[in-house]
Amino acid sequence: MINSPFVRKAASVQQVMLQVLLALVPGIAAYVWFFGAGILVQIALASAAAVAGEAAMLAVRGKPKALFLSDLSAIVTAWLIALTFPPIVPWWLTVTATLLAIVVVKQLYGGLGQNPFNPAMAAFCLMIVAYPALMSQWPAAGQLDFSSQLQLIFGGARQVDAISGATPLDALRTALRAAANPDSQLHGLRAAQLMDGPAYGMLGGKGGEWVALGFLLGGLWLLQRRIITWHIPGAFCLALAASAGLLWAVRPEGFASPVFHLASGGAMLGAFFILTDPVSGATTPRGKLLFAAGAGVLTFVIRAFGAYPDGVAFATLLMNLCVPLIDMNTQAPVFGHKKD
Amino acid sequence: MLRKLFKFHGGVKPQTHKTQSTTQPIARVPLPERLVIPLHQAVGGHPRPLVAPGDKVFKGQRIGGADGSLSSAVHASTSGIVRDVAPALMPHTSGLTTLSVVIEPDGEDRWGELDKVNYRTAPPDELRDFLRDAGVVGLGGAVFPSYAKLKPGKEGRLKTLVINGAECEPFITCDDLLMRERAADMLKGIVAMRHMLQAEEVLIGIEDNKPEAVAAVQAAIAASGQSGIQAVAIPTRYPAGGAKQLIRVLTGIEVPHGRRSTDFGVQCFNVGTAYSIFEALEFGRPLISRVVTVAGNVDQPRNYEVLIGTPMDHVVRQSGARPDTDRYIMGGPMMGVRLPAFDVPVVKATNCILVGSPALFPPPPPEMPCIRCGECAKACPADLAPFEMYWFSRSKNFGKAQEYHLFDCIECGCCSFVCPSHIPLVDYFRFSKSEIWARERDKSSADAARDRFEFKNFRQEREKQEKAEKLAAKAAATREKVAADSQAGTASPATEAPDTAKPAAPSAEDTKRALIAAAMEKARQQKAQIAPKNTEQLSAETQADIDAIEARRAATATPPTPDA
């Protein structure tokens, strides 16, 4: 027996996920333009692994395959993995990471809607702990052509040193630490001066800043489509910029500028596409602000004082842990129970 | 005059489908062959039948009397003969029956003598009783007896009387047409209500997708020369016509769940109710018909003035139901109820017969897991977190569901409407509410049983104790008596032999023996009393026989003489 309401809005999980995928396209286009088409290979690899892993787990769990594969949530996870990993990691690393995300982090916890952690970020953290070297090789913009990228992805041998070893975030941190050392050549140089190199662009890393702008564009479109609300990207960017800005204002020779932080690494992807994952994120308006602000501060702390190239993934997981607590304590008063 | 309006959280904008049924005026429906008038049509007690099969009834004759503190009378919608007073199918999803009066119309549609009241001079109490007996209930769908709401509350006067002409449900246009065609009379009803409630101002809220109705009501207000009454166009957003939402939009006041709006100086009535109140007070006509929208899968959607008790399929026939019709829905597509049959009667709550087909209302796509996207929370006009309540309802964690204000849910359907996972959220909440009610019923009956049992134990214990006390008192009395007797008996020997070892008082052994003797004596007496039970009204012969037998028994029972 079907009860009221008898009419429904034409909305579906598939549509939501499809729009998220579409919103990633400008960022991917910039990525391909500056860093080559290798990323497309990674996206394809991750997507194939995600669909295979999801299908296998749905079969094991006795769930309808067509229904759950067509919701596209696995593809979103796959794309986020491809976009957060270095574009030249070997194929098996991408596939393993995606399978871990889909099989363990998502399906073993109960599938769509049930995972406490963001699958893509959990996979990123697992991989950076397991394969720190491979996960830290970021080519500079235009450094590698497509064939050498393919060779790195599918070929066996790799000359680690031949590839630029670090993200601009990582490089700048290392440089800033060196600058603090009186014995170093770089001693006394400020961040702005340190960034006067071929690896850096106007705002962040060369090329990387354009990719970030692409993600920002897609994110704003998601906002306009009401797929996401302003709370999470707003609070994350503000908290990241504020914590970076505070230390930068006090010691500009020791820290990068807030703009650099926003335009580098996974900040934009995190703000609009990762932290906004509704399944693993906070859901109340106030909760979203807290959740994202926490992630912003943690991202900065890990970037500035940690040993990893970026902090978004760990910050996301740490804040995912806090979600039940945040949600429980930020329920808004209901109709007729508000205090004026 | 522009008025500051307030917003309520959430809400949705479904397709309204209202233009099709507003092209033509309200039409009358020919008399059906039979009217089935349920006696219980309003919130509150079940009215008792006042007619029996074979009775002749007039149009407007009371056939069900209001019963109890909150109840509303029911009337014959036309003149004719009562054919039956029996349970009949209700217009409700449950498919349950309810006691109904079946009337075969005589075709004359003749009014009987109607009670009248001079509403301009009568005191409010008398008007309330009059409206109760006229069967006037809220026609917005809640069918709450209007007389019970026409009380101004503790302060004796009301700040704002809100009249609900919002009509936010898609397809339904009965209030729209009523306002367009009968605004002046409706306004007279409103003036009477305002007087009863001592209301300072009257706000008539109408969604701005009904400009004709707004204009008609404004013209009627201007023509009446009344001050302090205002027709306010409000933004079209479902469920702006929910009483609480409308009060919020017009006054900014949020009436919490479980509180009376009069505590906040507001009361809300539907426009149709105001018109019925006018009919009752002006002409003495009880509520026997109402405007009903027929819409959906029909050739000509339209509004009809329908007699209460008319079978729905008879009404729908006037509009021409299409062949693929598979169901009727009473009400709109957001909150309406699917009916168990096509021939259930139109009742006071029937604002719309929505004719459905699989093409018009396709079954929802398969239910997917909740992804916590929060769309439902964004759409909820009660500011709830439906997805949280859904988890708790699903896991039957009803305590938690209540903690998240399950009972503040007004079941408007906005959450189900927007859910991208196609989860029938409202169904989960209805389920939880009914489970909680059932548990509370069970609990209260268990509590009652436990109370009964505990009282029984207490009573038995008390009786046992009282008996024991009585026995003890008696025993003590006997003991004293025995003691006194033996004291008297032993007094002289004791004086004679004061140096013997014999105690002055009787020994415990003696007392015991005396008690036993007393008890045996008492038992013997009781036995003697009980023995001649069946010997009271005996014939002389029988008595003689008994005497003979007794004599013989006495003879044999006599102990043998020592020398025998």
PDB file of all heavy atoms in Angstrom, chain A residues 182-215:
ATOM      1  N   PRO A 182      70.299  29.123  10.513  1.00  0.00           N
ATOM      2  CA  PRO A 182      71.294  30.154  10.192  1.00  0.00           C
ATOM      3  C   PRO A 182      72.408  29.653   9.260  1.00  0.00           C
ATOM      4  O   PRO A 182      73.034  30.432   8.562  1.00  0.00           O
ATOM      5  CB  PRO A 182      71.869  30.548  11.552  1.00  0.00           C
ATOM      6  CG  PRO A 182      71.124  29.768  12.582  1.00  0.00           C
ATOM      7  CD  PRO A 182      70.194  28.826  11.933  1.00  0.00           C
ATOM      8  N   ASP A 183      72.634  28.313   9.206  1.00  0.00           N
ATOM      9  CA  ASP A 183      73.707  27.774   8.372  1.00  0.00           C
ATOM     10  C   ASP A 183      73.298  27.651   6.909  1.00  0.00           C
ATOM     11  O   ASP A 183      74.135  27.420   6.034  1.00  0.00           O
ATOM     12  CB  ASP A 183      74.127  26.380   8.868  1.00  0.00           C
ATOM     13  CG  ASP A 183      74.596  26.465  10.317  1.00  0.00           C
ATOM     14  OD1 ASP A 183      75.045  27.571  10.696  1.00  0.00           O
ATOM     15  OD2 ASP A 183      74.476  25.464  11.032  1.00  0.00           O
ATOM     16  N   SER A 184      71.982  27.763   6.658  1.00  0.00           N
ATOM     17  CA  SER A 184      71.498  27.505   5.310  1.00  0.00           C
ATOM     18  C   SER A 184      71.725  28.700   4.406  1.00  0.00           C
ATOM     19  O   SER A 184      71.773  29.841   4.847  1.00  0.00           O
ATOM     20  CB  SER A 184      70.012  27.164   5.366  1.00  0.00           C
ATOM     21  OG  SER A 184      69.477  27.212   4.068  1.00  0.00           O
ATOM     22  N   GLN A 185      71.821  28.410   3.088  1.00  0.00           N
ATOM     23  CA  GLN A 185      71.931  29.484   2.109  1.00  0.00           C
ATOM     24  C   GLN A 185      70.681  30.328   2.095  1.00  0.00           C
ATOM     25  O   GLN A 185      70.701  31.494   1.737  1.00  0.00           O
ATOM     26  CB  GLN A 185      72.090  28.896   0.696  1.00  0.00           C
ATOM     27  CG  GLN A 185      73.370  28.120   0.487  1.00  0.00           C
ATOM     28  CD  GLN A 185      73.336  27.492  -0.878  1.00  0.00           C
ATOM     29  OE1 GLN A 185      72.396  26.773  -1.193  1.00  0.00           O
ATOM     30  NE2 GLN A 185      74.344  27.759  -1.691  1.00  0.00           N
ATOM     31  N   LEU A 186      69.577  29.628   2.415  1.00  0.00           N
ATOM     32  CA  LEU A 186      68.286  30.302   2.319  1.00  0.00           C
ATOM     33  C   LEU A 186      67.991  31.164   3.534  1.00  0.00           C
ATOM     34  O   LEU A 186      66.925  31.785   3.606  1.00  0.00           O
ATOM     35  CB  LEU A 186      67.171  29.257   2.163  1.00  0.00           C
ATOM     36  CG  LEU A 186      67.238  28.372   0.925  1.00  0.00           C
ATOM     37  CD1 LEU A 186      66.232  27.244   1.031  1.00  0.00           C
ATOM     38  CD2 LEU A 186      67.011  29.191  -0.334  1.00  0.00           C
ATOM     39  N   HIS A 187      68.900  31.201   4.476  1.00  0.00           N
ATOM     40  CA  HIS A 187      68.612  31.850   5.740  1.00  0.00           C
ATOM     41  C   HIS A 187      68.140  33.285   5.555  1.00  0.00           C
ATOM     42  O   HIS A 187      68.725  34.061   4.818  1.00  0.00           O
ATOM     43  CB  HIS A 187      69.848  31.834   6.653  1.00  0.00           C
ATOM     44  CG  HIS A 187      69.584  32.483   7.980  1.00  0.00           C
ATOM     45  ND1 HIS A 187      68.663  31.970   8.851  1.00  0.00           N
ATOM     46  CD2 HIS A 187      70.075  33.600   8.550  1.00  0.00           C
ATOM     47  CE1 HIS A 187      68.596  32.739   9.921  1.00  0.00           C
ATOM     48  NE2 HIS A 187      69.452  33.759   9.753  1.00  0.00           N
ATOM     49  N   GLY A 188      67.038  33.565   6.274  1.00  0.00           N
ATOM     50  CA  GLY A 188      66.536  34.933   6.262  1.00  0.00           C
ATOM     51  C   GLY A 188      65.583  35.250   5.131  1.00  0.00           C
ATOM     52  O   GLY A 188      64.984  36.318   5.103  1.00  0.00           O
ATOM     53  N   LEU A 189      65.435  34.320   4.199  1.00  0.00           N
ATOM     54  CA  LEU A 189      64.514  34.591   3.088  1.00  0.00           C
ATOM     55  C   LEU A 189      63.061  34.401   3.539  1.00  0.00           C
ATOM     56  O   LEU A 189      62.760  33.524   4.331  1.00  0.00           O
ATOM     57  CB  LEU A 189      64.811  33.673   1.902  1.00  0.00           C
ATOM     58  CG  LEU A 189      66.121  33.981   1.159  1.00  0.00           C
ATOM     59  CD1 LEU A 189      66.373  32.919   0.102  1.00  0.00           C
ATOM     60  CD2 LEU A 189      66.072  35.361   0.536  1.00  0.00           C
ATOM     61  N   ARG A 190      62.183  35.213   3.001  1.00  0.00           N
ATOM     62  CA  ARG A 190      60.759  35.085   3.352  1.00  0.00           C
ATOM     63  C   ARG A 190      60.064  34.168   2.358  1.00  0.00           C
ATOM     64  O   ARG A 190      60.586  33.881   1.278  1.00  0.00           O
ATOM     65  CB  ARG A 190      60.100  36.462   3.316  1.00  0.00           C
ATOM     66  CG  ARG A 190      60.698  37.360   4.370  1.00  0.00           C
ATOM     67  CD  ARG A 190      59.969  38.660   4.464  1.00  0.00           C
ATOM     68  NE  ARG A 190      60.340  39.293   5.713  1.00  0.00           N
ATOM     69  CZ  ARG A 190      59.509  40.074   6.404  1.00  0.00           C
ATOM     70  NH1 ARG A 190      58.301  40.303   5.949  1.00  0.00           N
ATOM     71  NH2 ARG A 190      59.891  40.618   7.510  1.00  0.00           N
ATOM     72  N   ALA A 191      58.845  33.785   2.755  1.00  0.00           N
ATOM     73  CA  ALA A 191      58.079  32.857   1.919  1.00  0.00           C
ATOM     74  C   ALA A 191      57.929  33.410   0.504  1.00  0.00           C
ATOM     75  O   ALA A 191      58.101  32.696  -0.478  1.00  0.00           O
ATOM     76  CB  ALA A 191      56.710  32.598   2.540  1.00  0.00           C
ATOM     77  N   ALA A 192      57.620  34.695   0.419  1.00  0.00           N
ATOM     78  CA  ALA A 192      57.395  35.296  -0.888  1.00  0.00           C
ATOM     79  C   ALA A 192      58.646  35.171  -1.756  1.00  0.00           C
ATOM     80  O   ALA A 192      58.565  34.930  -2.957  1.00  0.00           O
ATOM     81  CB  ALA A 192      57.000  36.761  -0.727  1.00  0.00           C
ATOM     82  N   GLN A 193      59.824  35.319  -1.120  1.00  0.00           N
ATOM     83  CA  GLN A 193      61.060  35.204  -1.874  1.00  0.00           C
ATOM     84  C   GLN A 193      61.351  33.752  -2.233  1.00  0.00           C
ATOM     85  O   GLN A 193      61.837  33.452  -3.317  1.00  0.00           O
ATOM     86  CB  GLN A 193      62.212  35.785  -1.052  1.00  0.00           C
ATOM     87  CG  GLN A 193      62.075  37.288  -0.864  1.00  0.00           C
ATOM     88  CD  GLN A 193      62.914  37.797   0.283  1.00  0.00           C
ATOM     89  OE1 GLN A 193      62.845  37.261   1.393  1.00  0.00           O
ATOM     90  NE2 GLN A 193      63.713  38.831   0.014  1.00  0.00           N
ATOM     91  N   LEU A 194      61.056  32.874  -1.291  1.00  0.00           N
ATOM     92  CA  LEU A 194      61.296  31.447  -1.533  1.00  0.00           C
ATOM     93  C   LEU A 194      60.440  30.944  -2.685  1.00  0.00           C
ATOM     94  O   LEU A 194      60.779  30.001  -3.386  1.00  0.00           O
ATOM     95  CB  LEU A 194      60.988  30.633  -0.268  1.00  0.00           C
ATOM     96  CG  LEU A 194      61.954  30.827   0.904  1.00  0.00           C
ATOM     97  CD1 LEU A 194      61.401  30.177   2.144  1.00  0.00           C
ATOM     98  CD2 LEU A 194      63.334  30.296   0.556  1.00  0.00           C
ATOM     99  N   MET A 195      59.268  31.569  -2.859  1.00  0.00           N
ATOM    100  CA  MET A 195      58.345  31.112  -3.885  1.00  0.00           C
ATOM    101  C   MET A 195      58.699  31.663  -5.265  1.00  0.00           C
ATOM    102  O   MET A 195      57.987  31.463  -6.221  1.00  0.00           O
ATOM    103  CB  MET A 195      56.918  31.544  -3.525  1.00  0.00           C
ATOM    104  CG  MET A 195      56.248  30.595  -2.557  1.00  0.00           C
ATOM    105  SD  MET A 195      54.680  31.256  -1.981  1.00  0.00           S
ATOM    106  CE  MET A 195      53.726  31.265  -3.461  1.00  0.00           C
ATOM    107  N   ASP A 196      59.791  32.371  -5.350  1.00  0.00           N
ATOM    108  CA  ASP A 196      60.203  32.959  -6.624  1.00  0.00           C
ATOM    109  C   ASP A 196      60.938  31.906  -7.450  1.00  0.00           C
ATOM    110  O   ASP A 196      62.105  32.046  -7.774  1.00  0.00           O
ATOM    111  CB  ASP A 196      61.079  34.188  -6.358  1.00  0.00           C
ATOM    112  CG  ASP A 196      61.328  34.951  -7.639  1.00  0.00           C
ATOM    113  OD1 ASP A 196      60.515  34.801  -8.580  1.00  0.00           O
ATOM    114  OD2 ASP A 196      62.334  35.669  -7.693  1.00  0.00           O
ATOM    115  N   GLY A 197      60.293  30.811  -7.746  1.00  0.00           N
ATOM    116  CA  GLY A 197      60.936  29.747  -8.506  1.00  0.00           C
ATOM    117  C   GLY A 197      59.995  29.172  -9.540  1.00  0.00           C
ATOM    118  O   GLY A 197      58.812  29.513  -9.562  1.00  0.00           O
ATOM    119  N   PRO A 198      60.514  28.302 -10.406  1.00  0.00           N
ATOM    120  CA  PRO A 198      59.688  27.758 -11.484  1.00  0.00           C
ATOM    121  C   PRO A 198      58.531  26.881 -10.976  1.00  0.00           C
ATOM    122  O   PRO A 198      57.555  26.685 -11.682  1.00  0.00           O
ATOM    123  CB  PRO A 198      60.679  26.934 -12.311  1.00  0.00           C
ATOM    124  CG  PRO A 198      61.801  26.629 -11.377  1.00  0.00           C
ATOM    125  CD  PRO A 198      61.879  27.779 -10.402  1.00  0.00           C
ATOM    126  N   ALA A 199      58.649  26.333  -9.752  1.00  0.00           N
ATOM    127  CA  ALA A 199      57.602  25.442  -9.249  1.00  0.00           C
ATOM    128  C   ALA A 199      56.375  26.219  -8.793  1.00  0.00           C
ATOM    129  O   ALA A 199      55.312  25.642  -8.595  1.00  0.00           O
ATOM    130  CB  ALA A 199      58.131  24.607  -8.096  1.00  0.00           C
ATOM    131  N   TYR A 200      56.516  27.531  -8.609  1.00  0.00           N
ATOM    132  CA  TYR A 200      55.413  28.297  -8.029  1.00  0.00           C
ATOM    133  C   TYR A 200      54.730  29.171  -9.068  1.00  0.00           C
ATOM    134  O   TYR A 200      55.358  29.648 -10.008  1.00  0.00           O
ATOM    135  CB  TYR A 200      55.924  29.167  -6.874  1.00  0.00           C
ATOM    136  CG  TYR A 200      56.559  28.343  -5.780  1.00  0.00           C
ATOM    137  CD1 TYR A 200      57.935  28.245  -5.670  1.00  0.00           C
ATOM    138  CD2 TYR A 200      55.759  27.642  -4.884  1.00  0.00           C
ATOM    139  CE1 TYR A 200      58.517  27.476  -4.698  1.00  0.00           C
ATOM    140  CE2 TYR A 200      56.336  26.867  -3.910  1.00  0.00           C
ATOM    141  CZ  TYR A 200      57.711  26.786  -3.804  1.00  0.00           C
ATOM    142  OH  TYR A 200      58.284  26.016  -2.847  1.00  0.00           O
ATOM    143  N   GLY A 201      53.447  29.366  -8.842  1.00  0.00           N
ATOM    144  CA  GLY A 201      52.696  30.241  -9.725  1.00  0.00           C
ATOM    145  C   GLY A 201      52.406  31.550  -9.018  1.00  0.00           C
ATOM    146  O   GLY A 201      53.212  32.017  -8.220  1.00  0.00           O
ATOM    147  N   MET A 202      51.237  32.088  -9.297  1.00  0.00           N
ATOM    148  CA  MET A 202      50.886  33.374  -8.696  1.00  0.00           C
ATOM    149  C   MET A 202      50.368  33.210  -7.266  1.00  0.00           C
ATOM    150  O   MET A 202      50.643  34.011  -6.399  1.00  0.00           O
ATOM    151  CB  MET A 202      49.802  34.053  -9.524  1.00  0.00           C
ATOM    152  CG  MET A 202      50.290  34.500 -10.896  1.00  0.00           C
ATOM    153  SD  MET A 202      48.921  35.095 -11.893  1.00  0.00           S
ATOM    154  CE  MET A 202      47.959  33.629 -12.127  1.00  0.00           C
ATOM    155  N   LEU A 203      49.597  32.184  -7.073  1.00  0.00           N
ATOM    156  CA  LEU A 203      48.960  31.990  -5.768  1.00  0.00           C
ATOM    157  C   LEU A 203      49.558  30.809  -5.017  1.00  0.00           C
ATOM    158  O   LEU A 203      49.818  30.875  -3.827  1.00  0.00           O
ATOM    159  CB  LEU A 203      47.450  31.746  -5.947  1.00  0.00           C
ATOM    160  CG  LEU A 203      46.698  32.761  -6.806  1.00  0.00           C
ATOM    161  CD1 LEU A 203      45.297  32.256  -7.083  1.00  0.00           C
ATOM    162  CD2 LEU A 203      46.653  34.111  -6.104  1.00  0.00           C
ATOM    163  N   GLY A 204      49.726  29.711  -5.739  1.00  0.00           N
ATOM    164  CA  GLY A 204      50.221  28.504  -5.097  1.00  0.00           C
ATOM    165  C   GLY A 204      51.262  27.858  -5.986  1.00  0.00           C
ATOM    166  O   GLY A 204      52.125  28.532  -6.526  1.00  0.00           O
ATOM    167  N   GLY A 205      51.122  26.521  -6.151  1.00  0.00           N
ATOM    168  CA  GLY A 205      52.032  25.817  -7.032  1.00  0.00           C
ATOM    169  C   GLY A 205      51.695  26.136  -8.476  1.00  0.00           C
ATOM    170  O   GLY A 205      50.535  26.422  -8.801  1.00  0.00           O
ATOM    171  N   LYS A 206      52.684  26.086  -9.337  1.00  0.00           N
ATOM    172  CA  LYS A 206      52.426  26.379 -10.740  1.00  0.00           C
ATOM    173  C   LYS A 206      51.501  25.299 -11.311  1.00  0.00           C
ATOM    174  O   LYS A 206      51.741  24.113 -11.141  1.00  0.00           O
ATOM    175  CB  LYS A 206      53.740  26.405 -11.520  1.00  0.00           C
ATOM    176  CG  LYS A 206      53.567  26.983 -12.892  1.00  0.00           C
ATOM    177  CD  LYS A 206      54.886  27.066 -13.632  1.00  0.00           C
ATOM    178  CE  LYS A 206      54.635  27.529 -15.064  1.00  0.00           C
ATOM    179  NZ  LYS A 206      55.800  27.255 -15.912  1.00  0.00           N
ATOM    180  N   GLY A 207      50.458  25.693 -11.987  1.00  0.00           N
ATOM    181  CA  GLY A 207      49.505  24.724 -12.537  1.00  0.00           C
ATOM    182  C   GLY A 207      48.499  24.300 -11.488  1.00  0.00           C
ATOM    183  O   GLY A 207      47.298  24.351 -11.696  1.00  0.00           O
ATOM    184  N   GLY A 208      49.031  23.910 -10.331  1.00  0.00           N
ATOM    185  CA  GLY A 208      48.162  23.453  -9.249  1.00  0.00           C
ATOM    186  C   GLY A 208      47.127  24.492  -8.872  1.00  0.00           C
ATOM    187  O   GLY A 208      45.980  24.174  -8.572  1.00  0.00           O
ATOM    188  N   GLU A 209      47.526  25.748  -8.915  1.00  0.00           N
ATOM    189  CA  GLU A 209      46.583  26.813  -8.552  1.00  0.00           C
ATOM    190  C   GLU A 209      45.412  26.873  -9.531  1.00  0.00           C
ATOM    191  O   GLU A 209      44.291  27.172  -9.160  1.00  0.00           O
ATOM    192  CB  GLU A 209      47.303  28.158  -8.494  1.00  0.00           C
ATOM    193  CG  GLU A 209      47.925  28.556  -9.822  1.00  0.00           C
ATOM    194  CD  GLU A 209      48.925  29.697  -9.662  1.00  0.00           C
ATOM    195  OE1 GLU A 209      49.293  29.998  -8.519  1.00  0.00           O
ATOM    196  OE2 GLU A 209      49.340  30.265 -10.675  1.00  0.00           O
ATOM    197  N   TRP A 210      45.697  26.544 -10.790  1.00  0.00           N
ATOM    198  CA  TRP A 210      44.613  26.562 -11.773  1.00  0.00           C
ATOM    199  C   TRP A 210      43.658  25.377 -11.567  1.00  0.00           C
ATOM    200  O   TRP A 210      42.448  25.494 -11.756  1.00  0.00           O
ATOM    201  CB  TRP A 210      45.171  26.550 -13.199  1.00  0.00           C
ATOM    202  CG  TRP A 210      45.782  27.887 -13.514  1.00  0.00           C
ATOM    203  CD1 TRP A 210      47.105  28.207 -13.492  1.00  0.00           C
ATOM    204  CD2 TRP A 210      45.054  29.074 -13.830  1.00  0.00           C
ATOM    205  NE1 TRP A 210      47.276  29.531 -13.782  1.00  0.00           N
ATOM    206  CE2 TRP A 210      46.023  30.097 -14.008  1.00  0.00           C
ATOM    207  CE3 TRP A 210      43.707  29.381 -13.990  1.00  0.00           C
ATOM    208  CZ2 TRP A 210      45.679  31.401 -14.323  1.00  0.00           C
ATOM    209  CZ3 TRP A 210      43.367  30.676 -14.320  1.00  0.00           C
ATOM    210  CH2 TRP A 210      44.338  31.676 -14.486  1.00  0.00           C
ATOM    211  N   VAL A 211      44.260  24.237 -11.199  1.00  0.00           N
ATOM    212  CA  VAL A 211      43.421  23.079 -10.884  1.00  0.00           C
ATOM    213  C   VAL A 211      42.507  23.429  -9.709  1.00  0.00           C
ATOM    214  O   VAL A 211      41.307  23.154  -9.731  1.00  0.00           O
ATOM    215  CB  VAL A 211      44.286  21.843 -10.556  1.00  0.00           C
ATOM    216  CG1 VAL A 211      43.419  20.662 -10.190  1.00  0.00           C
ATOM    217  CG2 VAL A 211      45.186  21.506 -11.737  1.00  0.00           C
ATOM    218  N   ALA A 212      43.101  24.075  -8.703  1.00  0.00           N
ATOM    219  CA  ALA A 212      42.311  24.468  -7.530  1.00  0.00           C
ATOM    220  C   ALA A 212      41.183  25.407  -7.937  1.00  0.00           C
ATOM    221  O   ALA A 212      40.045  25.272  -7.469  1.00  0.00           O
ATOM    222  CB  ALA A 212      43.204  25.136  -6.491  1.00  0.00           C
ATOM    223  N   LEU A 213      41.492  26.351  -8.835  1.00  0.00           N
ATOM    224  CA  LEU A 213      40.453  27.268  -9.307  1.00  0.00           C
ATOM    225  C   LEU A 213      39.341  26.503 -10.040  1.00  0.00           C
ATOM    226  O   LEU A 213      38.160  26.827  -9.922  1.00  0.00           O
ATOM    227  CB  LEU A 213      41.064  28.324 -10.238  1.00  0.00           C
ATOM    228  CG  LEU A 213      41.728  29.500  -9.519  1.00  0.00           C
ATOM    229  CD1 LEU A 213      42.382  30.438 -10.545  1.00  0.00           C
ATOM    230  CD2 LEU A 213      40.715  30.276  -8.682  1.00  0.00           C
ATOM    231  N   GLY A 214      39.746  25.473 -10.776  1.00  0.00           N
ATOM    232  CA  GLY A 214      38.750  24.624 -11.465  1.00  0.00           C
ATOM    233  C   GLY A 214      37.817  23.966 -10.468  1.00  0.00           C
ATOM    234  O   GLY A 214      36.583  23.949 -10.651  1.00  0.00           O
ATOM    235  N   PHE A 215      38.403  23.438  -9.404  1.00  0.00           N
ATOM    236  CA  PHE A 215      37.556  22.802  -8.375  1.00  0.00           C
ATOM    237  C   PHE A 215      36.670  23.840  -7.680  1.00  0.00           C
ATOM    238  O   PHE A 215      35.519  23.561  -7.359  1.00  0.00           O
ATOM    239  CB  PHE A 215      38.421  22.062  -7.346  1.00  0.00           C
ATOM    240  CG  PHE A 215      39.078  20.832  -7.900  1.00  0.00           C
ATOM    241  CD1 PHE A 215      40.403  20.538  -7.619  1.00  0.00           C
ATOM    242  CD2 PHE A 215      38.367  19.958  -8.719  1.00  0.00           C
ATOM    243  CE1 PHE A 215      41.010  19.394  -8.135  1.00  0.00           C
ATOM    244  CE2 PHE A 215      38.965  18.818  -9.243  1.00  0.00           C
ATOM    245  CZ  PHE A 215      40.295  18.536  -8.959  1.00  0.00           C
TER     246      PHE A 215
END
